[in-house]
Amino acid sequence: MKPVDTLLFGTAGTPHSAEPRDSVAGIERLKQLGLDAMELEYVRGTFPSKNKAREIAGVARKTGIRLTAHGPYFINLNAVEPEKREASRKRAFNTANYGALSGAESITFHAGFFLKQPPEDVYRTIREELSGILGRLSENGIDVDVRPELTGKETQFGSLDEILSVSKELAGIHPCIDWSHLHARSGKCNTSKEFQSVLDTVRNILGDSEIRQMHMHLSGIEYTGKGERKHLDLDESDMNYRDLLRVLKDNDVCGILICESPSLEDDARILKDFYTAL
Ligand SMILES: [Zn+2]
């Protein structure tokens, strides 16, 4: 990602108050709202045309709004069937390709499912697939950080340990820390002390520089013993975002924090206002 010396706040996709509701209007709306970033949502598997992507990149450049991209939900780099595996590689590649063309500096996606296989085998498979994707990106001159996301369920690849290990092993891979998913996995990780320990772990494994180039997600969240159920607005959930923001500030964490609450821009403003007032 491009260097940044503060924490930037943005929305997961086009803000609701953008008119029309597309990426170009969304970026302009974020500028008006005093927000900093937007994640392009390719979650349903549709990508912009090349012309549209270039237009998006132009508006982002003009407004200074920073962009990232989220890949389709149906990526499973551990899929057993070769066609499904190949389709997943393609979706990850396209996310990077269209993301980069649109001016995104990083991409994130949920890397895969365990399908009841031994976790060590799945880790090895997904690491190899990610390495293959990095190779394809570099052959095509596509320069974006690839950030597997910390996921909200134990059945999905993407615990804190897994994404930090794969980030350590492969240059070009960095974590996407979704604080709400982390909380939803166990019901824990919702206190200052626990937030601090996550940052200490990131620092220990990936070094201090990683803390200055973080990509993170945050929203309210509903969860059960099986993990994430659905995203909620911040103040409708138990997510302790105030202490989290305090810990991020105390640690001088820099990068991009994307708000994934249903009321996208309202909650993003709540986060930015609280952070700025600290
Ligand atoms: Zn996600």
Side-chain angles (χ1 to χ4, degrees):
M1 74 189 290
K2 287 182 239 157
V4 53
D5 58 3
T6 182
L7 191 54
L8 302 174
F9 292 84
T11 53
T14 302
H16 299 299
S17 55
E19 190 56 54
R21 286 212 65 204
D22 64 21
S23 301
V24 167
I27 293 166
E28 281 164 349
R29 182 67 187 139
L30 286 166
K31 184 75 188 170
Q32 289 169 354
L33 290 167
L35 289 165
D36 317 300
M38 187 169 90
E39 192 141 287
L40 300 162
E41 297 291 327
Y42 304 146
V43 294
R44 313 248 166 251
T46 38
F47 297 100
S49 68
K50 287 193 173 165
N51 278 343
K52 183 49 91 178
R54 290 191 192 100
E55 189 190 344
I56 291 167
V59 180
R61 235 184 345 260
K62 193 185 78 193
T63 54
I65 297 291
R66 305 269 292 253
L67 297 179
T68 57
H70 194 305
Y73 289 134
F74 4 89
I75 287 178
N76 183 5
L77 295 175
N78 187 43
V80 178
E81 302 87 336
E83 345 47 276
K84 283 198 190 160
R85 183 82 69 88
E86 181 55 26
S88 292
R89 292 178 188 131
K90 218 170 254 168
R91 289 185 186 111
F93 177 82
N94 280 336
T95 302
N97 188 23
Y98 287 99
L101 213 52
S102 303
E105 46 200 279
S106 76
I107 65 161
T108 188
F109 52 85
H110 313 170
F113 293 87
F114 286 108
L115 310 172
K116 302 203 166 99
Q117 296 167 16
E120 318 80 68
D121 295 357
V122 176
Y123 179 85
R124 215 172 305 123
T125 300
I126 289 186
R127 185 188 59 201
E128 270 162 36
E129 291 293 343
L130 288 171
S131 166
I133 290 165
L134 289 173
R136 237 180 117 186
L137 294 181
S138 100
E139 277 162 29
N140 286 275
I142 297 168
D143 181 24
V144 288
D145 292 346
V146 176
R147 294 179 176 266
E149 179 169 342
L150 200 164
T151 55
K153 284 184 186 155
E154 303 263 333
T155 49
Q156 285 177 303
F157 177 89
S159 66
L160 180 65
D161 284 354
E162 284 158 353
I163 60 160
L164 295 182
S165 298
V166 80
S167 300
K168 169 132 187 118
E169 288 193 82
L170 298 175
I173 300 288
H174 296 270
C176 167
I177 307 272
D178 187 315
W179 292 99
S180 310
H181 283 167
L182 183 59
H183 173 41
R185 276 185 162 244
S186 61
K188 295 183 192 146
C189 209
N190 205 26
T191 63
S192 300
K193 213 173 148 191
E194 289 165 309
F195 299 141
Q196 182 62 50
S197 127
V198 172
L199 293 181
D200 292 342
T201 307
V202 173
R203 249 194 218 109
N204 287 339
I205 296 179
L206 300 177
D208 200 49
S209 60
E210 200 66 33
I211 297 287
R212 316 273 168 243
Q213 48 165 343
M214 294 274 272
H215 185 67
M216 301 176 285
H217 289 169
L218 181 61
S219 69
I221 193 128
E222 184 182 320
Y223 53 93
T224 67
K226 288 185 179 144
E228 166 188 27
R229 185 122 186 272
K230 64 172 182 195
H231 289 190
L232 298 173
D233 284 345
L234 290 166
D235 287 318
E236 282 172 9
S237 83
D238 71 351
M239 188 73 221
N240 183 8
Y241 67 90
R242 294 185 185 88
D243 280 339
L244 173 60
L245 291 170
R246 284 189 191 101
V247 171
L248 295 178
K249 188 133 200 177
D250 289 347
N251 284 268
D252 202 13
V253 170
C254 302
I256 298 177
L257 178 62
I258 293 291
C259 175
E260 292 190 317
S261 295
S263 57
L264 293 166
E265 64 266 44
D266 294 349
D267 272 8
R269 270 280 15 149
I270 288 175
L271 293 171
K272 184 168 181 178
D273 290 344
F274 188 86
Y275 180 85
T276 308
L278 287 172

